[in-house]
Amino acid sequence: MRISSDSKDNKPGVGQRWRSRADDTKRLVREPGYAREYFPRIFVRAWRTRGGGWYGIGYLVTFLYLEITMTFTELTEAGSAGDFIGSQVIELVSRWLGESVMNMVQAFLWPATVIEWLGGVAGAAVLLGIHLTFEYFIRPLAEAQFPELAEDRIAREEKKQAKKAKKEAKQAAKRAKSEARQNSDDNTP
């Protein structure tokens, strides 16, 4: 399955994005099987916006966990489905969105949460294990399924190399200028 690129140059407007999401929602209702195509596409798009690496997938998994936990807590605290829906409508603007923002912030800090939860050395070891598992098993599978992830990673690496080369060239020019100044000072009687 190929997911189109969301480059800044051809990004759809807000209205077009809302219409697209509304069309997807209608299609999900009409064709439940569309979920097998739709949800991976949404997940990969969100993953790509977080960098497409192991941090990005950690962010998404943490955010989904926090959102599901929060929703489950809301459901269990409500007396009935009607109470849940009523409370969600009332609290949507205030508490629920506020908690979602807090979940987003906490998800950004997921490595620190893992270290805190498991303790210093154990947490760091788990993060290392997650990183190695991602690099050697998950990334190759994900890039085989979604080639645009590999394209994004290669583009990031090329950009990083170009930035490094530019910095090295600037430092070399600075050294050459300094050496030339030093040589002219040494030749001055």
Side-chain angles (χ1 to χ4, degrees):
M1 167 183 0
R2 181 93 173 128
I3 299 170
S4 63
S5 174
D6 288 338
S7 72
K8 293 178 184 175
D9 298 337
N10 62 0
K11 215 175 210 180
V14 174
Q16 186 178 356
R17 287 192 304 255
W18 278 102
R19 278 189 300 281
S20 174
R21 290 203 175 77
D23 291 343
D24 285 336
T25 303
K26 290 175 190 173
R27 186 170 173 195
L28 282 167
V29 171
R30 282 191 319 266
E31 305 170 36
Y34 177 59
R36 286 189 304 269
E37 177 186 334
Y38 178 72
F39 288 112
R41 182 172 44 125
I42 294 300
F43 186 81
V44 168
R45 186 178 300 143
W47 183 15
R48 289 174 73 192
T49 63
R50 301 293 178 266
W54 77 284
Y55 174 83
I57 202 165
Y59 168 87
L60 287 175
V61 169
T62 303
F63 183 72
L64 288 173
Y65 169 78
L66 293 170
E67 286 293 307
I68 290 168
T69 304
M70 180 184 72
T71 303
F72 182 74
T73 301
E74 294 284 332
L75 278 170
T76 57
E77 289 177 358
S80 68
D83 290 345
F84 173 72
I85 292 170
S87 71
Q88 288 303 304
V89 169
I90 294 169
E91 294 178 11
L92 180 65
V93 175
S94 59
R95 187 172 138 222
W96 197 77
L97 284 178
E99 287 180 12
S100 288
V101 169
M102 291 306 297
N103 287 344
M104 189 170 43
V105 170
Q106 190 173 357
F108 275 122
L109 303 172
W110 75 267
T113 304
V114 169
I115 290 174
E116 179 184 335
W117 180 52
L118 296 174
V121 174
V126 166
L127 284 178
L128 178 62
I130 291 169
H131 176 69
L132 293 174
T133 301
F134 176 80
E135 286 298 323
Y136 294 105
F137 299 106
I138 296 171
R139 182 191 300 274
L141 292 173
E143 288 181 352
Q145 182 71 28
F146 304 103
E148 61 275 14
L149 292 173
E151 294 166 8
D152 288 348
R153 180 179 49 81
I154 291 167
R156 279 192 312 275
E157 289 172 1
E158 289 172 350
K159 185 176 179 181
K160 193 177 193 179
Q161 290 297 329
K163 186 175 179 180
K164 184 178 177 181
K166 184 177 179 181
K167 183 178 179 181
E168 288 172 354
K170 189 175 181 180
Q171 289 174 344
K174 193 174 183 179
R175 277 193 307 273
K177 187 176 180 180
S178 177
E179 288 172 6
R181 191 176 308 130
Q182 182 71 25
N183 288 339
S184 70
D185 288 345
D186 290 345
N187 293 337
T188 307

